[in-house]
Short mmCIF file of all heavy atoms in Angstrom, two decimals:
data_model
loop_
_atom_site.label_atom_id
_atom_site.label_comp_id
_atom_site.label_asym_id
_atom_site.label_seq_id
_atom_site.Cartn_x
_atom_site.Cartn_y
_atom_site.Cartn_z
N PRO A 270 -31.41 9.34 26.75
CA PRO A 270 -32.82 9.21 27.09
C PRO A 270 -33.63 10.46 26.85
O PRO A 270 -34.77 10.39 26.43
CB PRO A 270 -32.82 8.89 28.57
CG PRO A 270 -31.41 8.35 28.84
CD PRO A 270 -30.51 8.95 27.86
N ALA A 271 -33.03 11.64 27.07
CA ALA A 271 -33.77 12.90 26.88
C ALA A 271 -34.23 13.13 25.44
O ALA A 271 -35.20 13.81 25.17
CB ALA A 271 -32.91 14.08 27.33
N ALA A 272 -33.47 12.50 24.50
CA ALA A 272 -33.81 12.69 23.08
C ALA A 272 -34.90 11.71 22.60
O ALA A 272 -35.48 11.87 21.53
CB ALA A 272 -32.60 12.51 22.24
N GLY A 273 -35.18 10.66 23.42
CA GLY A 273 -36.12 9.64 22.96
C GLY A 273 -37.17 9.36 24.05
O GLY A 273 -37.64 10.29 24.69
N HIS A 274 -37.36 8.05 24.32
CA HIS A 274 -38.39 7.75 25.27
C HIS A 274 -37.81 7.43 26.67
O HIS A 274 -38.55 7.45 27.67
CB HIS A 274 -39.25 6.58 24.77
CG HIS A 274 -40.48 6.43 25.60
ND1 HIS A 274 -41.56 7.26 25.39
CD2 HIS A 274 -40.80 5.64 26.60
CE1 HIS A 274 -42.47 6.95 26.29
NE2 HIS A 274 -42.01 5.98 27.04
N GLY A 275 -36.52 7.17 26.77
CA GLY A 275 -35.93 6.85 28.08
C GLY A 275 -35.94 5.41 28.39
O GLY A 275 -36.24 4.56 27.55
N ALA A 276 -35.66 5.10 29.67
CA ALA A 276 -35.34 3.74 30.07
C ALA A 276 -36.56 2.90 30.44
O ALA A 276 -36.47 1.70 30.63
CB ALA A 276 -34.42 3.76 31.25
N ARG A 277 -37.71 3.57 30.62
CA ARG A 277 -38.91 2.84 31.03
C ARG A 277 -40.16 3.25 30.26
O ARG A 277 -40.23 4.41 29.85
CB ARG A 277 -39.16 3.09 32.48
CG ARG A 277 -38.13 2.34 33.34
CD ARG A 277 -38.26 2.70 34.77
NE ARG A 277 -37.27 1.92 35.52
CZ ARG A 277 -35.94 2.20 35.51
NH1 ARG A 277 -35.54 3.22 34.86
NH2 ARG A 277 -35.12 1.42 36.13
N LEU A 278 -41.07 2.35 30.09
CA LEU A 278 -42.30 2.62 29.42
C LEU A 278 -43.47 2.53 30.47
O LEU A 278 -43.57 1.54 31.13
CB LEU A 278 -42.52 1.69 28.26
CG LEU A 278 -43.56 2.14 27.29
CD1 LEU A 278 -43.06 1.90 25.86
CD2 LEU A 278 -44.82 1.39 27.46
N ASP A 279 -44.18 3.63 30.54
CA ASP A 279 -45.22 3.78 31.58
C ASP A 279 -46.51 3.09 31.04
O ASP A 279 -46.98 3.36 29.93
CB ASP A 279 -45.48 5.27 31.67
CG ASP A 279 -46.10 5.64 32.95
OD1 ASP A 279 -47.22 5.09 33.18
OD2 ASP A 279 -45.55 6.45 33.66
N PHE A 280 -47.08 2.16 31.83
CA PHE A 280 -48.29 1.46 31.32
C PHE A 280 -49.51 2.35 31.22
O PHE A 280 -50.37 2.08 30.37
CB PHE A 280 -48.56 0.26 32.26
CG PHE A 280 -47.49 -0.78 32.08
CD1 PHE A 280 -46.96 -1.46 33.17
CD2 PHE A 280 -46.99 -1.12 30.85
CE1 PHE A 280 -46.02 -2.45 33.04
CE2 PHE A 280 -46.03 -2.08 30.68
CZ PHE A 280 -45.48 -2.73 31.78
N GLU A 281 -49.59 3.35 32.06
CA GLU A 281 -50.73 4.27 31.97
C GLU A 281 -50.69 4.89 30.55
O GLU A 281 -51.69 4.99 29.87
CB GLU A 281 -50.65 5.32 33.04
CG GLU A 281 -51.98 5.98 33.33
CD GLU A 281 -51.83 6.94 34.53
OE1 GLU A 281 -51.07 6.67 35.42
OE2 GLU A 281 -52.56 7.97 34.45
N GLU A 282 -49.49 5.37 30.19
CA GLU A 282 -49.36 6.00 28.88
C GLU A 282 -49.69 5.02 27.76
O GLU A 282 -50.46 5.33 26.89
CB GLU A 282 -47.90 6.48 28.80
CG GLU A 282 -47.48 6.98 27.42
CD GLU A 282 -45.96 7.25 27.37
OE1 GLU A 282 -45.49 8.16 28.04
OE2 GLU A 282 -45.27 6.49 26.62
N LEU A 283 -49.11 3.78 27.84
CA LEU A 283 -49.28 2.84 26.76
C LEU A 283 -50.77 2.45 26.62
O LEU A 283 -51.33 2.41 25.50
CB LEU A 283 -48.42 1.60 27.02
CG LEU A 283 -48.62 0.44 26.01
CD1 LEU A 283 -48.05 0.86 24.64
CD2 LEU A 283 -47.91 -0.80 26.50
N PHE A 284 -51.41 2.15 27.77
CA PHE A 284 -52.82 1.73 27.65
C PHE A 284 -53.79 2.83 27.23
O PHE A 284 -54.84 2.54 26.68
CB PHE A 284 -53.28 1.05 28.96
CG PHE A 284 -52.79 -0.38 29.08
CD1 PHE A 284 -51.51 -0.70 29.50
CD2 PHE A 284 -53.62 -1.42 28.71
CE1 PHE A 284 -51.05 -2.00 29.58
CE2 PHE A 284 -53.22 -2.77 28.83
CZ PHE A 284 -51.93 -3.06 29.27
N ASP A 285 -53.39 4.05 27.39
CA ASP A 285 -54.21 5.16 27.00
C ASP A 285 -54.09 5.48 25.52
O ASP A 285 -54.87 6.29 24.95
CB ASP A 285 -53.90 6.43 27.82
CG ASP A 285 -54.52 6.35 29.19
OD1 ASP A 285 -55.37 5.44 29.41
OD2 ASP A 285 -54.19 7.19 30.06
#
Side-chain angles (χ1 to χ4, degrees):
H274 194 77
R277 287 173 180 75
L278 197 137
D279 200 302
F280 291 137
E281 199 175 328
E282 173 189 291
L283 177 67
F284 278 82
D285 281 350

